[in-house]
Amino acid sequence: QVQLVESGGGLVQAGGSLRLSCAASGSIFSLSIFSNNPMGWYRQTPGNERELVASITSAGSAKYADSVKGRFTISRDNAKNAVTLEMSSLKPEDTAIYYCNINAPQIGMNYWGKGTLVTVSS
């Protein structure tokens, strides 16, 4: 099994920045799943569906939702078993619980962290 733990959430003012981190842990075999599959950051607010914010392939190719494009940057460090989301020019609309995810279709599994809360005040 792979465990994902998010950190870095908090309260910031509009226009500010935050850096979210997601650390993966598990057996050596399980961590090979981490290094060979895409990862993503999602966010969710009350009453809404969980939304894909950004994704990154094992080779480092990134994609972003239109709502965050140009403001957020996703990256991964396979040597440290970590993925990050750098957020800038934050807006109140970015307020949400942010979750990291890894999809491992080879074993039919999706792994999720417990989430970290980001609150952007105006």
Side-chain angles (χ1 to χ4, degrees), residues 29-101:
F29 177 84
S30 295
L31 291 175
S32 71
I33 301 299
F34 170 89
S35 63
N36 289 292
N37 287 281
M39 295 193 68
W41 283 96
Y42 291 72
R43 66 186 181 188
Q44 189 170 27
T45 56
N48 295 299
E49 298 287 333
R50 190 167 295 184
E51 172 192 21
L52 176 62
V53 176
S55 63
I56 185 167
T57 70
S58 60
S61 180
K63 292 185 177 181
Y64 302 91
D66 289 341
S67 59
V68 306
K69 192 175 182 65
R71 300 188 297 119
F72 291 10
T73 301
I74 187 172
S75 62
R76 67 191 297 165
D77 186 343
N78 289 338
K80 299 179 66 175
N81 303 123
V83 60
T84 64
L85 185 68
E86 296 182 353
M87 306 182 295
S88 62
S89 301
L90 284 163
K91 306 174 181 179
E93 308 93 271
D94 296 319
T95 296
I97 298 176
Y98 285 72
Y99 302 87
C100 63
N101 163 266

